[in-house]
Amino acid sequence: MPRARGSRRPAARRPRWRRRPEERPDEILHAALQVFGERGFAHTRLDDVARRAGVSKGTLYLYYASKDALFRAVVRAVKGPVLAEGEAYVEAHQGPAREALEHLVLRMWEIMADPPQATVSRLVQSEIRHFPELARFYYEEIVLRSRRILERVLERGVAAGEFRPEQARFAARAIPAMALTLITVHGGLAAFDPSPMSREAMAAHATDLILHGVLAPAAPRTDA
């Protein structure tokens, strides 16, 4: 049927927004973190991630060839920036080693309590040990890199006479483990604690415990 004179063809409906290709990897990683957190690594399917990200499974494969590759990318995206932050801080710090250690412990506490960080840590604790190649990847790229940040500070402190040399090597392993354990227990079971402590108070006390232990200072001798 011919159009009436003066009538106009309806304008084609335009989408409100169009996803730019460079945004897709970040959107896929964000969706993957959510799905991994909800379903666990073993039960997550790439179909689930693609659906959450709003892309086809074929599009997801253009960026990440497998679920393992996607998990590695998520870990690097979540953990990489904070490790780089710690490395930059240690490189630039010129003051006492104790000051640097206090800063790193308090910052570690903040980072581990951050939801994306906590999600990755929970996945690693609960599942990744069942996937040896992913466990090796996480240990080599995240655990050892994190440990080296603390080791550099502890080594400086030993050289300056601030820290006990016999404890420095162990401390680089114990400090992250203590922080992660306390944060995990505090986050999951705090509602049942009869005398709860704030996260800030726990961080401050943990720092004091690391630096001074539990032994009271020896009383000064009074004999001549």
Side-chain angles (χ1 to χ4, degrees), residues 81-122:
V82 297
L83 289 171
E85 174 194 318
E87 290 164 345
Y89 172 81
V90 172
E91 182 68 27
H93 184 74
Q94 299 296 322
R98 169 179 174 158
E99 181 182 277
L101 185 61
E102 289 177 337
H103 169 86
L104 290 175
V105 171
L106 293 173
R107 184 72 182 112
M108 187 184 303
W109 213 272
E110 295 170 352
I111 290 167
M112 287 185 176
D114 181 63
Q117 300 288 335
T119 296
V120 170
S121 296
R122 185 172 65 251

Short mmCIF file of all heavy atoms in Angstrom, two decimals, residues 81-122:
data_model
loop_
_atom_site.label_atom_id
_atom_site.label_comp_id
_atom_site.label_asym_id
_atom_site.label_seq_id
_atom_site.Cartn_x
_atom_site.Cartn_y
_atom_site.Cartn_z
N PRO A 81 46.74 -6.22 40.90
CA PRO A 81 46.91 -4.81 41.27
C PRO A 81 47.34 -4.59 42.72
O PRO A 81 48.14 -3.69 43.00
CB PRO A 81 45.51 -4.22 41.00
CG PRO A 81 44.92 -5.11 39.96
CD PRO A 81 45.42 -6.48 40.30
N VAL A 82 46.83 -5.38 43.66
CA VAL A 82 47.20 -5.17 45.06
C VAL A 82 48.62 -5.64 45.33
O VAL A 82 49.33 -5.06 46.17
CB VAL A 82 46.19 -5.84 46.02
CG1 VAL A 82 44.81 -5.22 45.85
CG2 VAL A 82 46.11 -7.34 45.81
N LEU A 83 49.06 -6.68 44.62
CA LEU A 83 50.45 -7.09 44.77
C LEU A 83 51.39 -6.03 44.19
O LEU A 83 52.43 -5.71 44.78
CB LEU A 83 50.68 -8.43 44.07
CG LEU A 83 50.04 -9.65 44.75
CD1 LEU A 83 50.13 -10.87 43.85
CD2 LEU A 83 50.68 -9.92 46.10
N ALA A 84 51.00 -5.48 43.06
CA ALA A 84 51.81 -4.40 42.47
C ALA A 84 51.86 -3.19 43.40
O ALA A 84 52.90 -2.52 43.52
CB ALA A 84 51.24 -4.01 41.11
N GLU A 85 50.75 -2.92 44.07
CA GLU A 85 50.71 -1.81 45.04
C GLU A 85 51.70 -2.05 46.17
O GLU A 85 52.45 -1.16 46.57
CB GLU A 85 49.30 -1.67 45.59
CG GLU A 85 49.17 -0.65 46.72
CD GLU A 85 47.85 -0.79 47.47
OE1 GLU A 85 46.81 -1.01 46.81
OE2 GLU A 85 47.86 -0.70 48.72
N GLY A 86 51.71 -3.28 46.71
CA GLY A 86 52.63 -3.61 47.79
C GLY A 86 54.08 -3.52 47.36
O GLY A 86 54.94 -3.02 48.10
N GLU A 87 54.38 -4.01 46.17
CA GLU A 87 55.75 -3.95 45.65
C GLU A 87 56.21 -2.51 45.48
O GLU A 87 57.35 -2.16 45.82
CB GLU A 87 55.82 -4.70 44.33
CG GLU A 87 55.69 -6.21 44.50
CD GLU A 87 55.37 -6.93 43.20
OE1 GLU A 87 54.97 -6.25 42.22
OE2 GLU A 87 55.52 -8.16 43.17
N ALA A 88 55.32 -1.67 44.97
CA ALA A 88 55.67 -0.26 44.76
C ALA A 88 55.91 0.44 46.10
O ALA A 88 56.82 1.27 46.23
CB ALA A 88 54.57 0.44 43.98
N TYR A 89 55.08 0.09 47.09
CA TYR A 89 55.26 0.71 48.41
C TYR A 89 56.61 0.35 49.01
O TYR A 89 57.34 1.21 49.51
CB TYR A 89 54.13 0.28 49.36
CG TYR A 89 54.37 0.73 50.78
CD1 TYR A 89 54.06 2.03 51.17
CD2 TYR A 89 54.95 -0.13 51.71
CE1 TYR A 89 54.31 2.46 52.47
CE2 TYR A 89 55.20 0.29 53.01
CZ TYR A 89 54.88 1.59 53.38
OH TYR A 89 55.15 2.01 54.66
N VAL A 90 56.96 -0.93 48.97
CA VAL A 90 58.23 -1.37 49.55
C VAL A 90 59.40 -0.74 48.80
O VAL A 90 60.40 -0.34 49.41
CB VAL A 90 58.31 -2.91 49.52
CG1 VAL A 90 59.70 -3.38 49.94
CG2 VAL A 90 57.25 -3.51 50.45
N GLU A 91 59.30 -0.65 47.50
CA GLU A 91 60.36 -0.05 46.71
C GLU A 91 60.59 1.40 47.08
O GLU A 91 61.73 1.88 47.13
CB GLU A 91 60.02 -0.17 45.22
CG GLU A 91 61.08 0.36 44.29
CD GLU A 91 62.35 -0.45 44.29
OE1 GLU A 91 62.29 -1.67 44.59
OE2 GLU A 91 63.43 0.12 44.00
N ALA A 92 59.50 2.12 47.35
CA ALA A 92 59.61 3.56 47.60
C ALA A 92 59.87 3.89 49.07
O ALA A 92 60.34 4.99 49.38
CB ALA A 92 58.33 4.26 47.15
N HIS A 93 59.58 2.96 49.98
CA HIS A 93 59.68 3.27 51.41
C HIS A 93 61.12 3.49 51.85
O HIS A 93 62.00 2.69 51.55
CB HIS A 93 59.07 2.13 52.24
CG HIS A 93 59.04 2.42 53.70
ND1 HIS A 93 58.16 3.31 54.27
CD2 HIS A 93 59.81 1.95 54.73
CE1 HIS A 93 58.37 3.36 55.58
NE2 HIS A 93 59.37 2.55 55.87
N GLN A 94 61.35 4.58 52.56
CA GLN A 94 62.70 4.93 53.02
C GLN A 94 62.84 4.92 54.53
O GLN A 94 63.92 5.12 55.06
CB GLN A 94 63.07 6.33 52.50
CG GLN A 94 63.10 6.45 50.99
CD GLN A 94 64.16 5.57 50.35
OE1 GLN A 94 65.26 5.43 50.88
NE2 GLN A 94 63.84 4.97 49.22
N GLY A 95 61.74 4.71 55.25
CA GLY A 95 61.78 4.78 56.72
C GLY A 95 62.13 3.45 57.35
O GLY A 95 62.62 2.52 56.69
N PRO A 96 61.88 3.32 58.66
CA PRO A 96 62.19 2.08 59.38
C PRO A 96 61.41 0.90 58.81
O PRO A 96 60.28 1.04 58.33
CB PRO A 96 61.76 2.39 60.81
CG PRO A 96 61.72 3.88 60.90
CD PRO A 96 61.34 4.37 59.56
N ALA A 97 62.01 -0.27 58.90
CA ALA A 97 61.34 -1.49 58.43
C ALA A 97 60.08 -1.77 59.24
O ALA A 97 59.09 -2.27 58.71
CB ALA A 97 62.29 -2.67 58.50
N ARG A 98 60.12 -1.45 60.52
CA ARG A 98 58.93 -1.66 61.36
C ARG A 98 57.75 -0.88 60.82
O ARG A 98 56.63 -1.40 60.76
CB ARG A 98 59.23 -1.22 62.80
CG ARG A 98 57.98 -1.15 63.66
CD ARG A 98 58.29 -0.75 65.07
NE ARG A 98 57.05 -0.56 65.83
CZ ARG A 98 56.96 -0.61 67.15
NH1 ARG A 98 58.03 -0.87 67.87
NH2 ARG A 98 55.81 -0.44 67.75
N GLU A 99 57.97 0.34 60.41
CA GLU A 99 56.90 1.18 59.86
C GLU A 99 56.32 0.54 58.60
O GLU A 99 55.10 0.52 58.40
CB GLU A 99 57.46 2.57 59.56
CG GLU A 99 56.48 3.56 59.00
CD GLU A 99 57.17 4.88 58.70
OE1 GLU A 99 57.32 5.69 59.62
OE2 GLU A 99 57.56 5.09 57.53
N ALA A 100 57.20 0.04 57.75
CA ALA A 100 56.73 -0.61 56.52
C ALA A 100 55.94 -1.87 56.83
O ALA A 100 54.91 -2.15 56.20
CB ALA A 100 57.93 -0.95 55.63
N LEU A 101 56.41 -2.66 57.80
CA LEU A 101 55.70 -3.88 58.16
C LEU A 101 54.32 -3.57 58.72
O LEU A 101 53.34 -4.24 58.37
CB LEU A 101 56.52 -4.68 59.17
CG LEU A 101 55.94 -6.06 59.53
CD1 LEU A 101 55.87 -6.95 58.30
CD2 LEU A 101 56.78 -6.72 60.61
N GLU A 102 54.22 -2.57 59.57
CA GLU A 102 52.92 -2.19 60.12
C GLU A 102 51.97 -1.78 59.00
O GLU A 102 50.80 -2.16 58.98
CB GLU A 102 53.09 -1.04 61.11
CG GLU A 102 53.75 -1.45 62.42
CD GLU A 102 53.97 -0.26 63.34
OE1 GLU A 102 54.04 0.88 62.83
OE2 GLU A 102 54.08 -0.47 64.55
N HIS A 103 52.47 -1.00 58.07
CA HIS A 103 51.63 -0.57 56.94
C HIS A 103 51.14 -1.77 56.14
O HIS A 103 49.95 -1.87 55.80
CB HIS A 103 52.42 0.37 56.03
CG HIS A 103 51.74 0.65 54.72
ND1 HIS A 103 50.81 1.66 54.58
CD2 HIS A 103 51.83 0.03 53.50
CE1 HIS A 103 50.35 1.66 53.33
NE2 HIS A 103 50.96 0.69 52.66
N LEU A 104 52.04 -2.71 55.83
CA LEU A 104 51.66 -3.86 55.01
C LEU A 104 50.66 -4.76 55.72
O LEU A 104 49.73 -5.28 55.09
CB LEU A 104 52.91 -4.66 54.64
CG LEU A 104 53.86 -4.00 53.63
CD1 LEU A 104 55.10 -4.86 53.45
CD2 LEU A 104 53.18 -3.76 52.29
N VAL A 105 50.83 -4.94 57.03
CA VAL A 105 49.90 -5.79 57.76
C VAL A 105 48.50 -5.17 57.78
O VAL A 105 47.49 -5.84 57.51
CB VAL A 105 50.38 -6.04 59.20
CG1 VAL A 105 49.30 -6.74 60.02
CG2 VAL A 105 51.66 -6.88 59.19
N LEU A 106 48.42 -3.88 58.06
CA LEU A 106 47.12 -3.21 58.08
C LEU A 106 46.48 -3.20 56.70
O LEU A 106 45.27 -3.40 56.55
CB LEU A 106 47.27 -1.79 58.62
CG LEU A 106 47.67 -1.68 60.09
CD1 LEU A 106 47.96 -0.23 60.46
CD2 LEU A 106 46.59 -2.24 61.00
N ARG A 107 47.29 -2.97 55.68
CA ARG A 107 46.76 -2.96 54.30
C ARG A 107 46.32 -4.37 53.90
O ARG A 107 45.29 -4.53 53.24
CB ARG A 107 47.84 -2.45 53.35
CG ARG A 107 47.36 -2.31 51.92
CD ARG A 107 46.41 -1.15 51.76
NE ARG A 107 45.93 -1.08 50.40
CZ ARG A 107 44.67 -1.32 50.03
NH1 ARG A 107 43.75 -1.64 50.95
NH2 ARG A 107 44.30 -1.23 48.77
N MET A 108 47.07 -5.37 54.32
CA MET A 108 46.69 -6.75 54.03
C MET A 108 45.32 -7.06 54.62
O MET A 108 44.49 -7.73 54.00
CB MET A 108 47.75 -7.69 54.61
CG MET A 108 47.57 -9.15 54.26
SD MET A 108 48.82 -10.16 55.12
CE MET A 108 50.33 -9.38 54.53
N TRP A 109 45.09 -6.56 55.81
CA TRP A 109 43.81 -6.79 56.47
C TRP A 109 42.66 -6.19 55.66
O TRP A 109 41.63 -6.82 55.46
CB TRP A 109 43.85 -6.16 57.86
CG TRP A 109 43.04 -6.93 58.87
CD1 TRP A 109 41.72 -6.76 59.14
CD2 TRP A 109 43.50 -7.97 59.72
NE1 TRP A 109 41.33 -7.64 60.13
CE2 TRP A 109 42.41 -8.39 60.49
CE3 TRP A 109 44.73 -8.58 59.90
CZ2 TRP A 109 42.51 -9.40 61.44
CZ3 TRP A 109 44.84 -9.58 60.84
CH2 TRP A 109 43.74 -9.98 61.59
N GLU A 110 42.87 -4.96 55.18
CA GLU A 110 41.84 -4.31 54.37
C GLU A 110 41.60 -5.07 53.08
O GLU A 110 40.45 -5.26 52.65
CB GLU A 110 42.27 -2.88 54.05
CG GLU A 110 42.38 -1.96 55.25
CD GLU A 110 43.04 -0.63 54.92
OE1 GLU A 110 43.55 -0.48 53.78
OE2 GLU A 110 43.05 0.25 55.78
N ILE A 111 42.68 -5.49 52.44
CA ILE A 111 42.56 -6.16 51.15
C ILE A 111 41.85 -7.50 51.28
O ILE A 111 40.95 -7.83 50.50
CB ILE A 111 43.96 -6.35 50.52
CG1 ILE A 111 44.53 -5.00 50.08
CG2 ILE A 111 43.92 -7.32 49.34
CD1 ILE A 111 45.99 -5.02 49.74
N MET A 112 42.23 -8.29 52.28
CA MET A 112 41.64 -9.62 52.43
C MET A 112 40.16 -9.56 52.78
O MET A 112 39.42 -10.51 52.52
CB MET A 112 42.40 -10.41 53.49
CG MET A 112 43.77 -10.88 53.04
SD MET A 112 44.57 -11.93 54.29
CE MET A 112 46.07 -12.42 53.42
N ALA A 113 39.73 -8.46 53.38
CA ALA A 113 38.31 -8.31 53.72
C ALA A 113 37.49 -7.79 52.56
O ALA A 113 36.26 -7.81 52.61
CB ALA A 113 38.17 -7.37 54.92
N ASP A 114 38.13 -7.34 51.48
CA ASP A 114 37.42 -6.84 50.31
C ASP A 114 36.70 -8.00 49.63
O ASP A 114 37.28 -9.07 49.44
CB ASP A 114 38.43 -6.20 49.35
CG ASP A 114 37.77 -5.64 48.12
OD1 ASP A 114 36.96 -4.72 48.25
OD2 ASP A 114 38.08 -6.12 47.00
N PRO A 115 35.41 -7.85 49.26
CA PRO A 115 34.64 -8.99 48.74
C PRO A 115 35.26 -9.74 47.57
O PRO A 115 35.33 -10.98 47.61
CB PRO A 115 33.29 -8.35 48.37
CG PRO A 115 33.15 -7.21 49.33
CD PRO A 115 34.54 -6.67 49.50
N PRO A 116 35.77 -9.08 46.51
CA PRO A 116 36.40 -9.86 45.43
C PRO A 116 37.61 -10.64 45.92
O PRO A 116 37.82 -11.79 45.53
CB PRO A 116 36.79 -8.79 44.40
CG PRO A 116 35.86 -7.66 44.66
CD PRO A 116 35.65 -7.65 46.13
N GLN A 117 38.43 -10.02 46.78
CA GLN A 117 39.60 -10.71 47.32
C GLN A 117 39.15 -11.91 48.15
O GLN A 117 39.74 -13.01 48.06
CB GLN A 117 40.42 -9.76 48.19
CG GLN A 117 40.93 -8.53 47.48
CD GLN A 117 42.05 -8.82 46.52
OE1 GLN A 117 42.76 -9.81 46.67
NE2 GLN A 117 42.23 -7.97 45.54
N ALA A 118 38.14 -11.71 48.97
CA ALA A 118 37.65 -12.80 49.82
C ALA A 118 37.08 -13.94 48.98
O ALA A 118 37.25 -15.12 49.33
CB ALA A 118 36.59 -12.27 50.78
N THR A 119 36.42 -13.62 47.87
CA THR A 119 35.87 -14.66 47.00
C THR A 119 36.98 -15.53 46.43
O THR A 119 36.90 -16.76 46.44
CB THR A 119 35.06 -14.02 45.85
OG1 THR A 119 33.94 -13.34 46.39
CG2 THR A 119 34.58 -15.09 44.88
N VAL A 120 38.04 -14.90 45.92
CA VAL A 120 39.15 -15.68 45.36
C VAL A 120 39.82 -16.52 46.45
O VAL A 120 40.11 -17.70 46.24
CB VAL A 120 40.17 -14.75 44.69
CG1 VAL A 120 41.44 -15.51 44.31
CG2 VAL A 120 39.56 -14.10 43.44
N SER A 121 40.05 -15.93 47.61
CA SER A 121 40.68 -16.67 48.70
C SER A 121 39.84 -17.86 49.12
O SER A 121 40.36 -18.95 49.38
CB SER A 121 40.91 -15.75 49.90
OG SER A 121 41.82 -14.71 49.58
N ARG A 122 38.53 -17.68 49.17
CA ARG A 122 37.64 -18.79 49.55
C ARG A 122 37.69 -19.91 48.52
O ARG A 122 37.72 -21.10 48.88
CB ARG A 122 36.21 -18.27 49.70
CG ARG A 122 35.23 -19.31 50.22
CD ARG A 122 33.88 -18.69 50.54
NE ARG A 122 33.22 -18.18 49.34
CZ ARG A 122 33.06 -16.88 49.07
NH1 ARG A 122 33.54 -15.96 49.89
NH2 ARG A 122 32.43 -16.50 47.98
#
